[in-house]
Amino acid sequence: MRTEAESGKVRIDKERFFNLPVVILIASSFMLGMSEFIVVGILPDIAADLKISEVTVGNLVSLFAFVYAPVTPLGSALSARFPRFATHLTLIGIFLAGNLLCAFAPNYAVLVVARIMIALVSGTLVAVAMTYVPDVTTDRFRTKFIAWVFSGFSIASVVGVPVGTWVANTFGWRWAFHMINVLTIMLIVGMVVALPRNSHIVKIGFLPQFRLFFDRRIQLGVLTVVFGAAASYVFYTYLTPIMRDEVHVPEQYLSVGLVIFGAACLWSNLYGGKLADRGRGVEPLTHIRPIYCAHAVLMASLVVAHWVPVYGALLLVVLGMFMYLQITCSVFQLPHDSAVFPVFPTVPAWFAYHSNSLQITSFLYKTWAKCGHGITRPSAG
């Protein structure tokens, strides 16, 4: 009779939500979020070192989203055709290679290639992580599992980005990526030790995933997330220069500002999950109408930050609290209700469409800069 180790299975206490495999999967989303958002914190350092403008460096965020969004559905479909654990390790290996390339990039062009590599696998990594849900937890924890995996990105903004910014300011921006690489290697070890090997290969068609968008509920959810995230990320991408040049936060306190903003984002993510539990179908979307109205007014008042820095500092915290309210409310509820959403790995593929909004970010910020605000000058080397 084969032992559990020989059969490729790992004993998991599913009744306890925060068991080791669940923690490892949350940690994986934390690493993905840290790698994705780290540019926000070290944007000025990269610009100064490579002698390019901060707006140009900000384009890395838009480029990341441009690749991430359309590739994720395809990656979700293809990954299900292969053994899950081997696919997971392969993708995280590519992720590590991309971050290694970032750390040693000699110029902007190589940095662009590295960010593309990371974007190509990030969405699929989230999709693969979601397929572990029946193996690592029970059905009653399924929604909680989704919430916590997505919260890994918010935790990255609370802890990862500020720490990465401090490391960049102290040792240089490349060391921020070295830190990510060390943590990724530790994550891979944890995956090998804790994650179950058993999986059921499921063939998922590529076109059927897009058939979801004929459902009116999905259309409403996607549109609200895209436009809501566009409003948030248009300033988040350039949060460090805004705090430095518009709110006049001293350089040594930028990391503290990022921690405070990240904490506000984490609150919005978790509270957004509670909003999503109030009703079924598209009903939760009606709860965020006043959120959109308030968000619009606050965003419009962002221009005042240049003249009233104290107001600007408080406003950024409040905007952080609005950051994910509409996104998480839309994401958590619609897919679970929809009869046309039977394949669990496609959940993050649908969520990834919020990243399309990041493509709007660079254009809007350049327009803002041409109006006499923001960062248009090349950084001094």
Side-chain angles (χ1 to χ4, degrees), residues 42-58 60 105-109 111 173-174 375-381:
I42 64 176
L43 186 150
D45 303 87
I46 297 175
D49 184 49
L50 300 182
K51 296 179 175 60
I52 55 179
S53 71
E54 292 179 347
V55 172
T56 301
V57 179
L60 290 173
N107 52 51
Y108 181 72
L111 195 58
W173 67 269
R174 297 179 188 277
I375 312 304
T376 56
R377 65 184 187 280
S379 295

Side-chain angles (χ1 to χ4, degrees), residues 351-371:
F351 172 80
Y353 275 83
H354 92 273
S355 296
N356 280 319
S357 63
L358 295 179
Q359 299 173 40
I360 307 171
T361 298
S362 181
F363 170 76
L364 290 178
Y365 193 80
K366 288 175 181 177
T367 302
W368 171 264
K370 288 178 180 178
C371 292

Side-chain angles (χ1 to χ4, degrees), residues 183-267:
L183 292 175
T184 301
I185 292 172
M186 294 172 61
L187 173 66
I188 292 173
V189 173
M191 291 170 58
V192 172
V193 171
L195 294 186
R197 309 292 198 273
N198 57 305
S199 64
H200 303 285
I201 298 177
V202 180
K203 292 185 177 181
I204 307 171
F206 179 62
L207 292 179
Q209 294 192 65
F210 289 94
R211 199 174 298 149
L212 295 171
F213 295 98
F214 289 101
D215 188 286
R216 182 173 175 271
R217 294 170 294 179
I218 301 298
Q219 293 169 358
L220 287 171
V222 169
L223 288 175
T224 55
V225 169
V226 166
F227 288 108
S232 297
Y233 283 105
V234 70
F235 73 89
Y236 180 63
T237 301
Y238 299 95
L239 181 60
T240 299
I242 288 174
M243 286 195 299
R244 184 193 63 203
D245 298 335
E246 303 296 326
V247 184
H248 307 297
V249 176
E251 291 274 357
Q252 63 268 31
Y253 295 117
L254 288 177
S255 295
V256 177
L258 290 171
V259 169
I260 295 172
F261 183 85
C265 290
L266 179 59
W267 177 88

